[in-house]
Amino acid sequence: MIVELSVNGLNDYYKRLKKASEMFKKMKPKFIEKSLSYIQDKANEHIQTTTGNSSWYVLTHELENSWVINILEKSLINYCSHAAFVEYGTGSIGKGTHPDSRNYSYDVKGHGDDGWFFYDKDHNLHWTKGMEAHAFLFDAVNDYLYRGGFDTIVNEVMNEVFGGL
C-alpha cells in the first residue's frame, strides 16, 4: 500500500487496514469450511482407490458417509465403527503398513500369525491375519498440506473475500 504522509493519508491508511482486518475475519470460517471439505473429499477418494485393492474389505460406503464437519471446533471426524481399523490396518498383516502408525496396537488380542476367525454380515465364517493399512486420512492430509490443497484453498478464499487479490 502507498501511504501519503499526512493526517488524511494516515487516516485513509488506518481505514484500509481496519477494513482488511474485518475481511480477514470473514476469511477464517470460509477457509476452515473449505479446508475440512477438501480433506473429507480427498479421504473419500483414497477410500475408493485403496480399499478397492483389498483382498477382503468390502466397500459398503459406510466409511465415506460417516463424516461430521464441525466448523466451530475445526474438526472432521469419521464416526464409522471400523474407520481406525481401515486407516491403520489390523493384526500381523497390518503392522508397519501405515506411514505414521506411532503406538497403534495392531494385535490387541495376541493372535499373532495364527490369525482369527470372524463372521461377516451374511454369517459366513472367515479366517484372517488382519488387513493392511489404507491410510485414507493420512494421505488426504498430505494432499492438503504438501500437494497443493492448502494453497488452492487460500487463493480461492482470498479471491472470494477480497475480490481477486
Side-chain angles (χ1 to χ4, degrees):
M1 280 192 219
I2 297 173
V3 179
E4 180 184 318
L5 292 178
S6 67
V7 172
N8 287 339
L10 291 174
N11 282 336
D12 181 53
Y13 180 71
Y14 174 75
K15 287 177 189 174
R16 287 187 283 164
L17 279 178
K18 190 173 177 180
K19 183 172 182 167
S21 175
E22 290 169 7
M23 293 175 93
F24 274 112
K25 287 178 188 170
K26 289 180 183 177
M27 213 175 116
K28 186 176 180 179
K30 287 182 183 211
F31 175 76
I32 292 167
E33 180 180 11
K34 284 183 177 274
S35 293
L36 294 175
S37 292
Y38 175 91
I39 293 169
Q40 177 186 351
D41 291 345
K42 284 294 183 178
N44 283 343
E45 285 177 24
H46 290 297
I47 289 167
Q48 293 283 336
T49 57
T50 66
T51 57
N53 296 327
S54 174
S55 59
W56 64 268
Y57 182 81
V58 177
L59 192 58
T60 62
H61 303 292
E62 179 184 2
L63 192 53
E64 301 112 291
N65 295 318
S66 296
W67 295 103
V68 174
I69 291 177
N70 186 325
I71 295 168
L72 294 176
E73 292 182 10
K74 302 169 193 84
S75 65
L76 171 65
I77 299 172
N78 191 304
Y79 284 101
C80 178
S81 62
H82 57 275
F85 300 130
V86 177
E87 173 73 21
Y88 289 100
T90 59
S92 62
I93 298 289
K95 188 170 181 119
T97 60
H98 192 277
D100 189 20
S101 59
R102 300 196 183 181
N103 293 325
Y104 183 75
S105 184
Y106 287 89
D107 192 7
V108 293
K109 294 187 179 176
H111 295 111
D113 283 335
D114 292 339
W116 64 93
F117 290 94
F118 70 95
Y119 287 99
D120 64 20
K121 66 177 180 149
D122 297 324
H123 307 289
N124 296 316
L125 185 64
H126 298 273
W127 173 82
T128 186
K129 292 198 291 185
M131 157 177 98
E132 288 186 7
H134 293 284
F136 60 91
L137 190 54
F138 179 86
D139 290 342
V141 170
N142 279 332
D143 289 343
Y144 175 76
L145 293 173
Y146 307 116
R147 294 184 194 106
F150 174 84
D151 296 335
T152 300
I153 291 167
V154 166
N155 288 331
E156 284 176 11
V157 173
M158 287 187 78
N159 283 333
E160 286 176 24
V161 173
F162 289 99
L165 265 183

